[in-house]
């Protein structure tokens, strides 16, 4: 009887089912070697020479991520920023890039502070509008359309298939920061994207104890070869132990993300009616700007991230954050513990984030505990 291919949740739980041949161990070893034997005839037939170029501990997490994203190949990096930067640094010097106005602020400020000086022109547009993306691309000059969906911190949604069509019509690539969606909820390559990036620090690892980044490509083309060379020669590599921890985290990706989504939906609905709350921003709410597109391109939930705008402005937001007992006041997202953050305080001057906004990263605790803690903190 022909068996059907395993569900991605099965692939993740078993990390593709790899076992170690010589011992039968069901967990693959951590390789710490920085260098590998050369053959007596001066060749490297086993394929590896030096740890900056290649690390056997990467093989399994990269293969698992490639399977989950439905891609051709993946690379681990030392951080999400390093993964994203590798793409921008691999473009030609005079490249024109289109990026969203609403996006992870750290990458936006990196693009502002460094890309322009290197000759890369970045245009920031409203990426929730395909018309705005269409107007921004310059045929023959735009090399890359960068999108993030759902995007920090308003959880704005971009139509990935529509953006891919616009990018390809002008000869550009589409790269998607899919950190918040995760491969559980969205597979950007199947919707036409060329590259997917993750801050693996977030959901892929899921335990707030590893900084890592990833890229996955739709094809192993010339640009992918350049990205591989950029990592090995630029040196933004992940440590072996971090790669092992990341894989361990990825094995529980599905149950963590599924639970976070369910709880985020309940929290969004519960807080929508709270008298101190001006607005809840969550793609799972029908009134959210991107709900219809999100319902089409996300499967199984709308993510574990939401934001709340407080009626009492920035003071009310900061006061509410000071009163939580279960939620942790901290930056970052995608861990098993729930985090709350006054986002404008982190982003500083020139932040487009409303000052009354609290960003919530929903973990895997009991959802009633999480709702009760927020309601108590908001009411004082
Ligand atoms: C959506 C998104 N992209 C990229 C990054 C950068 O990743 P890292 O902190 O792993 O460098 C972050 C980090 O907060 C993020 O939230």
């Amino acid at each position: 009887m022909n068996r059907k291919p395993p569900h991605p949740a099965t692939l993740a739980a078993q990390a593709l089912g790899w076992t170690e041949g010589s011992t039968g161990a069901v967990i693959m070893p951590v390789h710490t070697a920085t260098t590998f034997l050369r053959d007596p005839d001066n060749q490297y037939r086993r394929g590896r020479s030096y740890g900056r170029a290649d690390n056997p501990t990467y093989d399994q997490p990269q293969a698992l991520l490639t399977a989950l994203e439905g891609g051709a190949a993946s690379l681990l990096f030392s951080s999400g920023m390093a993964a994203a930067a590798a793409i921008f640094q691999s473009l030609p010097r005079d490249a024109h890039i289109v990026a969203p106005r609403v996006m992870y602020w750290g990458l936006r400020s990196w693009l502002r502070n460094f890309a322009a000086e290197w000759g890369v022109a970045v245009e920031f547009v409203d990426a929730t509008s395909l018309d705005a993306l269409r107007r921004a691309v310059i045929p023959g000059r735009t090399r890359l359309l960068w999108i993030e969906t759902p995007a920090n911190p308003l959880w704005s949604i971009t139509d990935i298939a529509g953006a891919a069509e616009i990018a390809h019509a002008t000869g550009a690539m589409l790269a998607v920061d899919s950190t918040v969606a995760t491969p559980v909820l969205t597979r950007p390559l199947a919707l036409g994207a060329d590259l997917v990036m993750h801050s693996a620090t977030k959901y892929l690892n899921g335990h707030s104890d590893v900084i890592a980044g990833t890229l996955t490509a739709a094809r192993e083309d010339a640009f992918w070869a350049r990205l591989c060379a950029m990592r090995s020669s630029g040196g933004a590599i992940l440590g072996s132990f971090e790669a092992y921890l990341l894989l361990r985290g990825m094995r529980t990706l599905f149950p963590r993300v599924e639970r976070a989504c369910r709880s985020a939906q309940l929290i969004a609905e519960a807080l929508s009616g709270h008298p101190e709350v001006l607005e809840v921003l969550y793609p799972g709410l029908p009134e959210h700007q991107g709900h219809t597109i999100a319902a089409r391109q996300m499967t199984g939930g709308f993510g574990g991230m939401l934001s709340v705008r407080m009626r009492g402005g920035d003071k009310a937001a900061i006061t509410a954050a000071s009163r939580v007992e279960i939620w942790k006041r901290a930056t970052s997202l995608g861990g098993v513990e729930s985090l709350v953050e006054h986002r404008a305080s982190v982003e500083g001057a020139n932040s487009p984030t409303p000052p009354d906004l609290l960003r919530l990263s929903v973990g895997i605790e009991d959802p009633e505990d999480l709702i009760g803690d927020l309601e108590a903190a908001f009411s004082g």
Side-chain angles (χ1 to χ4, degrees):
M1 192 181 120
N2 282 342
R3 290 169 185 266
K4 66 180 176 58
H7 188 278
T10 305
L11 298 179
Q14 299 203 351
L16 299 176
W18 291 17
T19 53
E20 207 272 310
S22 61
T23 61
V26 299
I27 299 296
M28 297 295 279
V30 177
H31 288 270
T32 55
T34 55
T35 191
F36 300 85
L37 281 178
R38 199 185 260 281
D39 300 323
D41 61 355
N42 213 33
Q43 303 298 306
Y44 275 117
R45 283 204 190 72
R46 279 165 288 205
R48 303 186 208 262
S49 58
Y50 186 54
R52 174 157 43 71
D54 200 3
N55 182 334
T57 312
Y58 294 176
D59 293 356
Q60 198 176 6
Q62 287 181 167
L64 175 58
L65 185 61
T66 302
L68 296 182
E69 289 291 1
S74 299
L75 285 170
L76 300 187
F77 285 84
S78 52
S79 68
M81 284 300 295
I87 296 181
F88 297 109
Q89 289 171 331
S90 299
L91 292 170
R93 263 186 80 83
D94 63 346
H96 175 256
I97 296 168
V98 176
R101 233 175 252 144
V102 174
M103 67 185 290
Y104 169 57
W105 76 282
L107 184 53
R108 188 181 58 233
S109 59
W110 185 88
L111 287 170
R112 282 227 168 92
N113 295 335
F114 294 101
E117 285 174 31
W118 291 335
V120 174
V122 189
E123 194 167 338
F124 294 96
V125 301
D126 173 8
T128 64
S129 155
L130 290 181
D131 283 337
L133 291 176
R134 216 172 274 119
R135 279 195 301 274
V137 293
I138 307 172
R141 198 162 160 236
T142 304
R143 300 297 186 114
L144 182 76
L145 205 62
W146 178 273
I147 60 171
E148 176 183 331
T149 183
N152 266 288
L154 308 180
W155 317 113
S156 319
I157 301 292
T158 297
D159 179 339
I160 299 173
E165 223 177 281
I166 292 167
H168 296 158
T170 203
M173 293 179 289
L174 177 70
V176 181
D177 181 340
S178 197
T179 298
V180 169
T182 82
V184 178
L185 307 175
T186 309
R187 306 227 299 181
L189 302 179
L191 297 170
D194 301 286
L195 291 165
V196 179
M197 173 257 159
H198 288 279
S199 166
T201 313
K202 318 300 182 197
Y203 290 99
L204 292 183
N205 179 63
H207 293 77
S208 308
D209 55 5
V210 170
I211 302 266
T214 66
L215 294 180
T216 303
R219 293 165 305 281
E220 289 186 87
D221 56 12
F223 192 71
W224 183 250
R226 205 167 148 72
L227 288 168
C228 296
M230 174 62 82
R231 187 188 67 176
S232 63
S233 56
I237 54 164
L238 194 63
S240 297
F241 292 110
E242 283 73 13
Y244 163 75
L245 280 175
L246 173 58
L247 181 70
R248 191 163 76 163
M250 286 169 73
R251 294 173 79 123
T252 57
L253 177 68
F254 278 76
R256 284 188 287 103
V257 169
E258 285 161 5
R259 185 172 170 96
C261 285
R262 277 198 305 275
S263 295
Q265 184 76 38
L266 291 174
I267 294 167
E269 286 166 9
L271 296 182
S272 288
H274 195 284
E276 302 300 326
V277 170
L278 180 66
E279 187 183 13
V280 177
L281 298 163
Y282 183 62
L285 295 177
E287 60 270 27
H288 187 271
Q289 155 273 328
H291 178 70
T292 309
I293 298 163
R296 200 170 65 224
Q297 76 186 12
M298 299 179 83
T299 49
F302 296 90
M305 296 302 300
L306 67 148
S307 294
V308 176
R309 297 187 62 189
M310 303 297 292
R311 275 192 201 287
D314 59 339
K315 282 204 177 64
I318 292 167
T319 306
S322 75
R323 293 193 189 125
V324 290
E325 291 180 3
I326 292 174
W327 294 73
K328 299 281 174 268
R329 269 181 311 282
T331 195
S332 200
L333 59 102
V336 289
E337 64 289 301
S338 294
L339 305 179
V340 57
E341 174 175 52
H342 180 245
R343 200 60 200 155
S345 297
V346 176
E347 299 187 4
N350 305 323
S351 160
T353 298
D356 55 11
L357 181 144
L358 287 176
R359 188 179 84 170
L360 304 176
S361 170
V362 180
I364 63 167
E365 305 93 333
D366 177 70
E368 292 304 318
D369 285 351
L370 295 174
I371 292 169
D373 193 29
L374 289 175
E375 284 176 344
F378 288 1
S379 301

